[in-house]
């Protein structure tokens, strides 16, 4: 429900449970919450409450700042990062700094976490992934570098990515039978 009152009656109506503006939830660092009217947000911010759950923002120089999650976009607009800053890469060589909590959103639109590298499948397919994603793709059968057969002195045969050949040669494997 809404109630229209003269300015002189606002405080009296607050005292009996009415909010000055739509009710919003404010948050404290210790987990407490408080419902206030939207016109009172600034007054509560000034005494340590947050508009939205508290989140940490990061600057490139290492500074951090705790703000309410409803203020994230405003702080991003002036150079703060939502999560520790990381560099993302585009295939055309561009880079962009984003907060670590935004990595997935940037991946969805073609950016890479780490420099783009080519991964190879045994059937000849290739795909670009960010250098920090290489291990995850290795775990599901992709190779970092063209697949290369290697041979052990005891007769075992394995396939590794070209970029891993030196590591296997160092422990006795060969690239010829």
């Amino acid at each position: 429900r809404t109630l229209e009152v003269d300015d002189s009656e606002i405080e009296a109506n607050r005292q009996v449970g009415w909010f000055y503006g739509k009710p919003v939830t404010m948050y404290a660092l210790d987990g407490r919450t408080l419902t206030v009217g939207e016109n009172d947000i600034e007054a509560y911010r000034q005494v340590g409450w947050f508009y939205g759950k508290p989140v940490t923002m990061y600057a490139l120089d290492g500074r951090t700042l705790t703000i309410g999650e409803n203020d994230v976009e405003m702080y991003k607009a002036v150079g703060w990062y939502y999560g520790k800053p990381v560099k993302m890469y585009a295939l055309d060589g561009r880079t962009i700094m984003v907060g670590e909590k935004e990595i997935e959103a940037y991946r969805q639109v073609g950016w890479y976490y780490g420099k783009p590298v080519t991964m190879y499948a045994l059937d000849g397919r290739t795909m670009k992934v960010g250098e920090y994603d290489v291990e995850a793709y290795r775990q599901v059968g992709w190779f970092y570098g063209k697949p290369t057969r290697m041979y052990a002195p005891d007769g075992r045969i394995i396939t590794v990515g070209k970029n891993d050949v030196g590591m296997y040669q160092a422990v006795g494997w060969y690239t010829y039978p």
Side-chain angles (χ1 to χ4, degrees):
R1 298 183 327 190
T2 60
L3 176 67
E4 290 192 29
V5 297
D6 292 329
D7 287 346
S8 63
E9 299 171 323
I10 291 173
E11 195 56 40
N13 281 287
R14 281 183 172 153
Q15 299 298 321
V16 293
W18 287 90
F19 295 106
Y20 185 30
K22 291 181 186 172
V24 298
T25 302
M26 301 294 288
Y27 295 82
L29 283 176
D30 64 8
R32 290 177 295 145
T33 62
L34 177 68
T35 302
V36 303
E38 66 184 348
N39 293 323
D40 294 324
I41 291 172
E42 283 309 312
Y44 281 90
R45 279 183 170 156
Q46 290 179 15
V47 293
W49 290 86
F50 297 93
Y51 181 37
K53 292 179 182 174
V55 298
T56 302
M57 300 292 286
Y58 295 81
L60 286 176
D61 64 7
R63 290 175 296 146
T64 61
L65 175 68
T66 301
I67 65 168
E69 65 186 350
N70 292 327
D71 296 326
V72 166
E73 292 305 316
M74 178 175 61
Y75 278 85
K76 284 173 48 180
V78 294
W80 289 86
Y81 295 90
Y82 188 37
K84 292 180 181 172
V86 297
K87 188 182 280 189
M88 306 250 343
Y89 296 80
L91 286 177
D92 63 8
R94 291 175 296 140
T95 61
I96 187 172
M97 296 297 292
V98 303
E100 65 185 352
K101 294 182 180 181
E102 301 169 300
I103 290 171
E104 203 51 48
Y106 278 84
R107 281 182 170 152
Q108 298 293 324
V109 293
W111 289 88
Y112 295 89
Y113 181 36
K115 293 180 181 177
V117 297
T118 303
M119 299 292 290
Y120 298 82
L122 282 176
D123 64 6
R125 292 175 294 141
T126 62
M127 127 172 86
K128 295 279 187 187
V129 302
E131 64 186 323
Y132 298 117
D133 295 323
V134 167
E135 196 55 40
Y137 282 91
R138 280 183 170 168
Q139 297 296 319
V140 293
W142 288 84
F143 295 91
Y144 183 38
K146 291 186 179 179
T148 303
R149 273 198 139 160
M150 301 223 40
Y151 305 87
D154 64 6
R156 290 176 293 152
I157 301 171
I158 61 169
T159 302
V160 301
K162 183 82 169 161
N163 296 350
D164 294 329
V165 167
M167 180 175 61
Y168 280 88
Q169 287 176 325
V171 293
W173 290 80
Y174 302 91
T175 55
Y176 53 87

